Amino acid sequence: MLNIRKAAIVGCGFVGSSIAFRLVQQGLFSELVLIDANRSKAEGEAMDLSHGLPYAASMDIYAGDYDDAADCGLMIVTAGANQKPGETRLDLIGKNVAILRSIIPEIRRRHFDGVLLVVSNPVDVLTYAAWRMSGLPAGRVIGSGTVLDTARLKHLLGQHLQVDSRNVHAVIIGEHGDSELAVWSGANVSGIDLNHFCELRGHYNHADSMRRIYEGVRDSAYQIIARKGATYYGIAMAVGRIAECIVLDQESVLPVSVVLEGQYGLDGLCLSIPSIVGKNGLEKILEIPLSLEEEAALHTSAAQLKSVIAQLEL
């Protein structure tokens, strides 16, 4: 029987262990299964996290296998090769699709009936591959998408405007990668048009500011990897937010990676698109208004990913 308050994390590297730490802090789950090809690594992470439970919510954390995870309400896949300095997310495709081929059949054999959340990069390609391999309904296979990129955009805009980033409403869509785009046409600060709010704060060179902030978002991961070797805290916070939406059935709007079936005139791929996320995973894909330039950029991003997907044997 499906247990909505039970989660599994497949892959206990920097990203997977950081996500586990975030989930423990949130207290969303009563049970957390850690799965890794290196069983000792999973056991060590489970022990380390469990030792902090007297200062957190009560839960059972343990290293396990796919049998232990069969009844999970949420399974989070982070396993994969890390992005190295100088690599793009798309450079990881061959290695991480091969790893996915070893994971998804195991999940499928257990008749997993929960939500499958893919975090490994390139997340849009791997989410599509996971959906094709798993046989699950499209709505129950989602990727972390541009939830982190959107947070980066809000953070940088908040800094630029000297305003609480939680009052900034803006979104990054498309590929979680170099072809992603900011939807400037719909951006606002607590309902105030973004350009108007910028002028209220003494900023008038909108085009230059938008270019600089967008590039800051797009290149963030490269900058972090160059400095510390990997990114993991930000994505852990983003995944925690997605998990919260699912477990608490919040029906929140997040730009997760979803299977497109005609929306925006696109199909045969996953892209990060604002969507309603609730207890069933994807509840609804939202076709938001885009400017002509934004629509063209989205289709350019899609074309790039479709060319990559076409080379995979799914």
Side-chain angles (χ1 to χ4, degrees), residues 209-260:
S209 294
M210 287 189 292
R211 177 193 55 77
R212 176 175 52 80
I213 290 170
Y214 164 74
E215 290 176 355
V217 172
R218 184 195 63 196
D219 299 339
S220 309
Y222 299 125
Q223 294 170 10
I224 294 169
I225 289 168
R227 287 165 170 80
K228 58 175 274 189
T231 69
Y232 37 90
Y233 295 133
I235 188 60
M237 297 289 283
V239 170
R241 179 72 186 107
I242 298 169
E244 182 180 49
C245 293
I246 294 169
V247 176
L248 302 181
D249 193 22
Q250 290 182 336
E251 298 186 323
S252 298
V253 176
L254 293 173
V256 290
S257 187
V258 292
V259 178
L260 293 176

Side-chain angles (χ1 to χ4, degrees), residues 270-288:
C270 286
L271 278 181
S272 302
I273 298 292
S275 304
I276 297 175
V277 179
K279 64 181 179 182
N280 299 310
L282 171 66
E283 303 288 351
K284 184 174 178 60
I285 298 171
L286 303 175
E287 295 195 63
I288 63 172

Side-chain angles (χ1 to χ4, degrees), residues 7-10 66 69-70 72-77 107 112 115-118:
I9 297 174
V10 182
Y66 293 101
C72 286
L74 177 65
M75 190 174 300
I76 302 167
V77 177
I107 296 172
F112 174 69
V115 175
L116 183 62
L117 174 59
V118 178

Side-chain angles (χ1 to χ4, degrees), residues 160-161 193-210 212-213:
H160 177 63
L161 299 172
D193 175 77
L194 181 60
N195 285 351
H196 182 61
F197 195 92
C198 286
E199 291 170 8
L200 291 175
R201 301 297 273 164
H203 300 289
Y204 294 91
N205 192 346
H206 304 314
D208 182 65
S209 294
M210 287 189 292
R212 176 175 52 80
I213 290 170

